[in-house]
């Protein structure tokens, strides 16, 4: 058997992991969830969860992967990678979760691509006569068109993954992530310079303290923290498995978490100032990026260029996340079925495409299907973000916090013999499970 693939450089690894974390969650989802939940207060609660729950979990998940030097399932091996403990079930659940997220994530990424292409060619700007509400609903409900965009995004992700860890994933992230960072900073500077944008900056950064009393703000912030970091779905375990020993994990995890959070805040500074400058509603819900923003781009000076950049940015950010999600089942197929990387990629992509078809068609052909009041895509998203991701996080916290030997857990996370290590372990053992249990309980009762 040939040697397992590895990252080429530490920077390449960190950029690929940030590429996984930064995605639709930071731009599309962060903006509308923050908008729905009071802006500044949401941001404070969110930052607290990122630090106290997200960061410890990212360290834990990376350490599981590096320790196992195998796929998501091997990461949950108790003694040596390859044992057959019951914990491995958690690994299989995470693989299923990654596939499920990718199935509908590809649909939304396809919308972003469709908008980006429309913005570049100009059709997005001439179609506005009936308003972007009607445009968006016609677009996502339009028979096979959303399926074609979904397929295009999956094909792009498959191309990258088929290129391998270094030759595909690392290479693409190395140039894409710095480019995306430059674009989002440029968009934010432009938005903040618009007349009347100050209210938008205040909305995001100056909290309305009364919102602290709303329990749903906490649930939304935790769900967003999980989704945005992408922790709990074995992506970090899989990416961590390509690490040689010797890159200090806590520093890498801190860079990943900081990069993801900064990206979301800067995206907020690109979006809310523009929304307020044009007197629109910041709490527009999931439609913020696809209905409210195009309206703004149409009206702002240079808006066609800004709008094109925005949707291409959204598409590229989504692509690097899709790549990481696809790598999870691909790594399993390579390891367990002995498939080549290329065969594994084609098979996993095809299966995920089929899995996502109901989500893609859920606004048109299958619009009559409602699950608990939601359409198909939203029902899958709610199930994943509110249940599967937190459950995955809980499994990681319990596994590393309680199941593995304390000394092993600390050593594998490069935290042995440090005070930070003791704090980390107690956060994993007590704070993380408690917070997740409370939130899970609340969504069960709601
Ligand atoms: N973190 C990604 C985003 O913000 C989504 C994601 C979820 C990626 C789960 C990997 C695992 O868009």
């Amino acid at each position: 058997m040939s040697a397992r693939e590895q990252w080429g450089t530490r920077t390449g690894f960190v950029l690929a992991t940030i590429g996984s974390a930064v995605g639709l969650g930071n731009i599309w989802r962060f903006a509308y969830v923050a908008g729905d939940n009071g802006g500044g207060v949401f941001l404070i609660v969110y930052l607290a969860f990122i630090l106290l729950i997200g960061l410890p979990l990212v360290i834990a998940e990376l350490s599981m992967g590096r320790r196992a030097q195998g796929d998501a399932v091997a990461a949950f091996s108790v003694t040596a990678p390859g044992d057959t403990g019951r914990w491995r079930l958690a690994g299989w659940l995470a693989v299923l979760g990654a596939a499920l997220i990718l199935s509908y994530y590809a649909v939304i990424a396809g919308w972003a691509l469709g908008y980006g292409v429309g913005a570049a060619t100009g059709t997005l700007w001439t179609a506005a006569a009936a308003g972007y509400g009607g445009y968006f609903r016609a677009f996502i409900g339009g028979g096979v068109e959303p399926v074609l965009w979904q397929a295009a995004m999956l094909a792009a992700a498959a191309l990258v993954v088929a290129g391998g860890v270094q030759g595909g994933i690392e290479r693409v992230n190395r140039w894409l992530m710095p480019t995306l960072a430059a674009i989002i900073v440029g968009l934010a500077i432009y938005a903040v310079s618009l007349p009347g944008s100050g209210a938008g900056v205040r909305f995001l950064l100056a909290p309305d303290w009364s919102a602290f009393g709303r329990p749903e703000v906490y649930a939304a912030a935790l769900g967003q923290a999980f989704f945005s970091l992408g922790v709990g779905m074995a992506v970090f375990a899989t990416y961590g498995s390509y690490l040689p020993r010797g890159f200090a994990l806590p520093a890498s995890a801190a860079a990943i978490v900081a990069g993801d959070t900064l990206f979301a805040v800067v995206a907020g500074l690109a979006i809310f100032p523009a929304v307020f400058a044009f007197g629109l509603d910041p709490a527009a819900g999931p439609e913020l990026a696809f209905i409210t923003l195009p309206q703004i781009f149409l009206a702002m000076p240079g808006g066609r260029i800004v709008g094109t950049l925005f949707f291409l940015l959204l598409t590229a950010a989504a692509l690097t996340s899709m790549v990481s999600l696809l790598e999870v089942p691909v790594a399993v197929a390579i390891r367990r079925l002995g498939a080549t990387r290329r065969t594994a990629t084609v098979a996993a992509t095809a299966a995920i495409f089929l899995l996502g078809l109901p989500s893609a068609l859920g606004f048109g052909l299958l619009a009559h299907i409602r699950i608990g009041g939601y359409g198909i895509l939203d029902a899958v998203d709610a199930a994943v973000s509110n249940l599967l991701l937190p459950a995955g996080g809980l499994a990681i916290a319990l596994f590393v916090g309680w199941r593995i030997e304390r000394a092993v857990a600390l050593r594998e996370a490069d935290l042995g013999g440090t005070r930070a290590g003791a704090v980390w372990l107690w956060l994993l053992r007590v704070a993380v499970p408690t917070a997740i249990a409370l939130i899970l309980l609340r969504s069960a009762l709601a």
Side-chain angles (χ1 to χ4, degrees):
M1 212 176 112
S2 57
R4 242 179 140 260
E5 291 182 80
Q6 281 199 342
W7 301 108
T9 63
R10 174 169 176 174
T11 314
F13 157 69
V14 170
L15 286 176
T17 335
I18 293 181
S20 165
V22 170
L24 297 169
N26 302 62
I27 307 170
W28 163 73
R29 199 174 191 278
F30 177 82
Y32 88 75
V33 177
D36 281 347
N37 287 283
V41 167
F42 173 83
L43 187 61
I44 293 176
V45 177
Y46 176 72
L47 290 178
F49 282 155
I50 285 280
L51 217 62
L52 295 175
I53 297 177
L55 180 61
L57 279 176
V58 172
I59 297 176
E61 200 183 319
L62 285 173
S63 78
M64 287 166 65
R66 188 180 60 177
R67 166 175 177 260
Q69 296 287 306
D71 60 7
V73 182
F76 276 98
S77 303
V78 176
T79 48
D83 77 309
T84 50
R86 263 172 298 171
W87 279 97
R88 288 157 36 110
L89 194 62
W92 284 111
L93 268 181
V95 177
L96 184 73
L100 215 51
I101 295 185
L102 183 52
S103 77
Y104 75 88
Y105 198 91
V107 175
I108 305 168
W111 300 346
L113 176 63
Y115 265 58
V117 170
T121 59
T123 50
L124 183 66
W125 312 121
T126 49
Y132 281 107
Y135 178 83
F136 180 58
R137 276 178 272 278
F139 173 67
I140 64 177
V144 293
E145 205 193 334
V147 176
L148 295 180
W149 295 117
Q150 169 210 13
M153 286 306 294
L154 279 170
L159 264 176
V160 177
V161 169
V165 173
Q166 269 187 41
I169 303 175
E170 184 167 347
R171 180 137 57 119
V172 165
N173 277 290
R174 270 188 90 103
W175 65 267
L176 217 43
M177 292 321 291
T179 313
L180 297 189
I183 295 178
I184 196 72
V185 168
L187 290 178
I189 292 174
Y190 181 73
V192 169
S193 74
L194 293 168
S197 63
V201 178
R202 278 193 296 281
F203 175 75
L204 189 61
L205 300 183
D208 152 20
W209 300 103
S210 69
F212 272 118
R214 288 162 47 196
E216 71 272 18
V217 171
Y218 297 86
L222 190 68
Q224 176 61 19
F226 270 105
F227 190 87
S228 183
L229 288 172
V231 71
M233 291 294 99
V235 165
F236 290 116
T238 304
Y239 273 15
S241 78
Y242 303 126
L243 275 177
R245 292 218 62 117
F247 297 168
L249 284 191
S252 303
I256 296 160
V257 168
D260 183 63
T261 307
L262 260 177
F263 212 103
V265 172
V266 176
L269 287 176
I271 293 173
F272 290 116
V275 170
F276 278 84
F278 285 85
L280 293 168
D281 179 11
E287 307 187 331
L288 187 66
F290 293 101
I291 296 179
T292 310
L293 291 186
Q295 212 171 315
I296 294 174
F297 295 139
L298 198 62
M300 73 171 31
R304 293 178 180 209
I305 296 173
V306 173
T308 306
L309 277 177
F310 176 82
F311 285 111
L312 293 182
L313 165 86
L314 194 59
T315 307
L319 176 68
T320 54
S321 300
M322 290 174 62
V323 163
S324 71
L325 286 163
L326 182 57
E327 179 63 19
V328 173
V330 166
V332 171
I334 292 176
R335 180 184 169 96
R336 287 174 204 273
L337 306 176
T340 62
R341 174 168 280 276
R342 189 172 298 186
T343 311
T345 306
V346 171
T349 307
I352 286 162
F353 170 71
L354 294 179
L355 192 63
L357 269 185
S359 293
L361 297 172
F363 300 89
L365 227 53
L366 301 180
H368 55 282
I369 299 182
R370 313 292 296 174
I371 305 163
Y374 291 120
I376 299 171
L377 187 148
D378 294 296
V380 181
D381 176 42
V384 170
S385 309
N386 302 336
L387 295 174
L388 227 44
L389 278 166
L394 187 62
I396 290 169
L398 296 178
F399 183 72
V400 176
W402 295 102
R403 183 62 187 84
I404 305 187
E405 247 176 84
R406 183 191 149 89
V408 174
L410 285 167
R411 184 187 70 221
E412 293 296 331
D414 302 327
L415 283 167
T418 63
R419 174 144 329 149
V423 173
W424 171 72
L425 206 57
W426 280 105
L427 283 173
L428 278 186
R429 288 186 162 184
V430 180
V432 174
T434 311
I436 296 176
L438 281 177
I439 304 278
L440 281 178
L441 207 65
R442 189 173 180 279
S443 24
L445 298 179

